[in-house]
Amino acid sequence: MKADTRILSIIVPCYNEEKSVPLFYAETVKQETFFHEKDVEFEFIFVDDGSKDGTVDAVRALREKDNRVHLVSFSRNFGKEAAIIAGLEKAAGDFTVLMDADLQDPPAILPEMYRYIEEGYDSVATRRVDRKGEPPIRSFFARRFYGLMRKISKTEIVDGARDYRLMTRQVTDAILAMKEYNRFSKGIFGWVGFRTKWIEYENVQRVAGETKWSFWKLFVYSLDGIMAFSTAPLSIASVFGILFCLVAFVFMIFIFVRALIYGDPVAGWPSMMCIISLIGGVQLLCLGIMGQYMSKMYMEVKDRPKYLVKDEF
Ligand code: UDP
Ligand code: MG
């Protein structure tokens, strides 16, 4: 290795990807010729997120051929966000890139991404321009989610953004400095800022295995995202409070005047029940929202490790 050789750390979160890992490696090393000319060496960091299949063995097999292959293996499944942070922490590179093991993040565009870094960008991000091969209902809710996020969060969260991202050491360190337990990478990337170049490409199907994201998992993840990067839901209680005070005030005057004119026959039990249950419902909703934020705070305060390592090389 020459003195001015720089390292590009390729971080790959893997959960049950025994079939994808060798394919991913084979595809990615093809890009090395370009990087060698630039005096950039690859370093692979596979993060095994508690896989139940032979993912770890697949990485070991690669290591036997190539000692630039590294592994961090978790004690159980901690989720992709934990895998990303573990990979970034282990990375020694001058540049880091996050890539899925299933080749949905095409290695073929790595050279193009690197050229933008050379041009002076701090990070090169990717987004899918279409959602081909995805269930329509999922696309529908994904769009609504990004639309809502744009309205209620100050942090820019781009529709169709993938985690596939090439970053300089400076950006990597900025991301590592964000110590939160409830991590939502798409928001974190936007929050840290820096000069970011967006590259677009068409959706690619995964090479092997299947997606780990059920509709429900994605739904919960989107709620986590909203709570991590917006406090707008917390103000719902105040908005309803003000609204109901106004309505109550108008109503009070109306009833007072009516009683003055027509006397006070006992009536209105049904409308009373409607109002009581409506207000009761809204109160519970607001309490629930506060409870959600409180549970996030509870997890942050506990300050548990984001992942536990079982095995590493
Ligand atoms: N992944 C992970 N932990 C998980 C779920 C997924 O490390 O709990 C990894 C997975 O192995 C893959 C990447 O995250 O490399 C993206 O997952 P997947 O392809 O299932 O998501 P999709 O592309 O369908 O959104
Ligand atoms: Mg995938």
Side-chain angles (χ1 to χ4, degrees):
M1 215 187 272
K2 278 192 288 187
D4 54 352
T5 302
R6 284 168 305 167
I7 293 174
L8 168 63
S9 303
I10 300 173
I11 296 156
V12 197
C14 304
Y15 180 46
N16 296 341
E17 302 279 10
E18 59 176 357
K19 289 204 190 74
S20 314
V21 163
L23 295 172
F24 172 85
Y25 176 83
E27 271 309 306
T28 310
V29 286
K30 284 185 192 160
Q31 303 305 324
E32 262 191 319
T33 30
F34 170 87
F35 283 93
H36 276 155
E37 280 166 24
K38 306 270 176 192
D39 256 334
V40 176
E41 273 283 337
F42 281 3
E43 167 193 70
F44 289 91
I45 297 172
F46 290 94
V47 185
D48 159 49
D49 186 10
S51 299
K52 291 175 186 69
D53 65 353
T55 301
V56 172
D57 299 325
V59 178
R60 270 184 210 291
L62 291 178
R63 167 72 174 207
E64 270 159 34
K65 290 184 294 182
D66 183 348
N67 63 6
R68 300 167 309 166
V69 171
H70 299 274
L71 170 79
V72 182
S73 182
F74 289 174
S75 63
R76 64 169 170 86
N77 180 250
F78 280 89
K80 189 183 177 188
E81 291 289 346
I84 289 176
I85 192 76
L88 288 174
E89 278 169 5
K90 190 168 171 79
D94 304 279
F95 311 103
T96 51
V97 62
L98 299 169
M99 294 175 83
D100 284 1
D102 56 11
L103 286 175
Q104 280 190 300
D105 299 332
I109 63 172
L110 271 175
E112 185 189 347
M113 291 166 85
Y114 184 76
R115 267 188 227 113
Y116 284 112
I117 295 281
E118 279 183 323
E119 265 180 36
Y121 283 97
D122 302 303
S123 110
V124 184
T126 59
R127 62 182 286 262
R128 297 184 296 180
V129 279
D130 64 330
R131 294 177 167 273
K132 229 177 6 231
E134 194 184 60
I137 177 113
R138 181 174 293 193
S139 309
F140 174 80
F141 278 103
R143 293 234 163 76
R144 294 293 90 72
F145 167 72
Y146 286 109
L148 181 68
M149 269 315 242
R150 254 197 301 283
K151 287 203 190 80
I152 65 174
S153 173
K154 289 194 194 76
T155 306
E156 190 201 10
I157 292 164
V158 178
D159 187 2
R162 301 205 36 100
D163 292 332
Y164 188 13
R165 205 175 255 264
L166 179 60
M167 299 170 280
T168 60
R169 174 49 48 188
Q170 196 185 18
V171 179
T172 309
D173 286 341
I175 287 165
L176 287 174
M178 297 184 72
K179 299 285 183 205
E180 60 220 75
Y181 182 84
N182 296 290
R183 298 188 78 82
F184 184 68
S185 281
K186 289 179 172 61
I188 290 175
F189 294 141
W191 193 90
V192 297
F194 293 98
R195 260 189 92 202
T196 304
K197 172 76 191 172
W198 284 91
I199 294 185
E200 298 182 341
Y201 65 85
E202 270 170 31
N203 199 19
V204 189
Q205 304 283 321
R206 62 159 44 238
V207 275
E210 55 196 51
T211 175
K212 277 61 184 197
W213 295 91
S214 63
F215 183 76
W216 180 246
K217 249 177 119 176
L218 273 176
F219 181 69
V220 172
Y221 184 59
S222 68
L223 291 186
D224 286 347
I226 291 176
M227 279 184 280
F229 282 91
S230 168
T231 50
L234 281 176
S235 41
I236 287 182
S238 327
V239 172
F240 273 121
I242 293 169
L243 214 72
F244 280 174
C245 282
L246 283 175
V247 172
F249 187 68
V250 173
F251 208 53
M252 240 164 61
I253 294 172
F254 170 73
I255 288 175
F256 186 73
V257 173
R258 197 180 61 169
L260 278 183
I261 300 171
Y262 298 105
D264 185 22
V266 179
W269 186 82
S271 54
M272 186 80 91
M273 284 319 283
C274 291
I275 292 166
I276 289 177
S277 42
L278 174 69
I279 296 183
V282 170
Q283 277 174 343
L284 283 181
L285 172 77
C286 295
L287 263 182
I289 292 172
M290 283 193 224
Q292 288 295 322
Y293 278 89
M294 211 174 74
S295 74
K296 296 284 167 200
M297 270 161 60
Y298 180 54
M299 292 312 288
E300 294 288 350
V301 168
K302 281 203 210 191
D303 199 22
R304 285 185 181 159
K306 296 177 192 90
Y307 56 87
L308 290 174
V309 175
K310 196 181 88 179
D311 208 356
E312 182 170 21
F313 53 72

